[in-house]
Each structure stands twice: as C-alpha cells, then as structure tokens.
Amino acid sequence: MSNLALCNILRQANQALCAVLIALQISTGSAYAQDLGKKTAPIYGGTGVASQSSDRFQGMSGTYAPVHKTPDGQACISVHPMARPQTLNPKIIDQVVLVANICGQSIRIEVCYAGSKDCIIVPLVGYQKLQRTLGVAPGSTSFRYQYRELY
C-alpha cells in the first residue's frame, strides 16, 4: 500500500470521526435544552428554618416550564412540611411532606431536600392528597425542601 493510499484512508476515517462527534454534540445539546423545559422552577419551603434557598442565582424564568394553575390562577400543587417523632423512639424524627393537588389533572412532582439530590417522586391524580416521608433525622425537627413539577 502506498503512502498516498494510506493518507486517503486516514483522511476519510478522520472525517467520519468528526461527523460522529458533531452528531453527538448536537444530540447532547438538544437533549439538554429539552430537559430544561421538562421541569418547573424550584419552589422552596421548610419547617423551623428559613424557607428561601441560600442560592441567589436562580435560573432564567424562560428556561422552566410553567406550573399548573387553576382557572383563577391559583397553583394546583401545594406542599406542607411536618416533622413528627417516631412511636418507638421519639428521638428519631420523620421528616414528612403533605402534597395536595387541587386540580383535575394528574401531576408528578419531585420533592428534594433544598440544595440536594436526595429526592422523592410523587405522582398525584386529580384532587388527591398524599403524605410521603422525605427522610429521617435524629432529633432534627427542622428541614428545608424544594419541589418541582415534572412534565
């Protein structure tokens, strides 16, 4: 095989590799852009502590999906935190969230400890209330959470 033939083979392989890398970059970029619209902006709450996140830099408002609302503009989803001692050992505290959907449509939400990836997914059908344990802590009755609607 001559040097010229070898150079042509390497050039064609390089072009194919570049095309694959460009295709991967385009598909990854578009998947990232689509993922931004699949969640609403985080809504913060808490019990016994300040409910607002310490993160001053929230995302741009146009990058998140809108929250579900009733015809009069009220949010469909509400989340209320509770901390309650366990029956067998009152020094162990269950950190619980009560999630309510006041609309007729099914909505899924993700509830996390604020600033954490420790989350639970709560699917709600129309007009449903659910109580879910977010976590357990020794003696701590205060916690912060954030939730988002998932599309």
Side-chain angles (χ1 to χ4, degrees), residues 17-144:
L17 181 61
C18 286
V20 168
L21 290 175
I22 289 170
L24 283 173
Q25 183 177 6
I26 289 171
S27 68
T28 304
S30 66
Y32 178 72
Q34 290 172 356
D35 188 45
L36 288 177
K38 292 186 178 182
K39 294 181 180 181
T40 61
I43 300 169
Y44 295 90
T47 177
V49 291
S51 62
Q52 184 57 34
S53 167
S54 60
D55 183 12
R56 297 179 315 162
F57 302 104
Q58 300 296 320
M60 296 183 306
S61 61
T63 60
Y64 295 108
V67 297
H68 289 90
K69 293 188 176 188
T70 61
D72 63 350
Q74 187 178 3
C76 289
I77 298 294
S78 64
V79 177
H80 304 284
M82 296 184 301
R84 64 174 181 225
Q86 291 185 352
T87 306
L88 294 177
N89 185 356
K91 294 180 182 177
I92 305 287
I93 307 297
D94 289 332
Q95 297 174 336
V96 178
V97 289
L98 177 64
V99 184
N101 179 3
I102 62 168
C103 294
Q105 56 201 7
S106 296
I107 302 172
R108 285 182 17 172
I109 68 164
E110 174 185 63
V111 184
C112 309
Y113 283 109
S116 171
K117 301 269 187 218
D118 190 11
C119 305
I120 57 172
I121 304 293
V122 182
L124 297 154
V125 296
Y127 307 107
Q128 184 179 26
K129 289 183 183 179
L130 291 176
Q131 182 175 307
R132 295 290 183 255
T133 301
L134 185 58
V136 178
S140 177
T141 59
S142 61
F143 66 98
R144 282 192 3 222

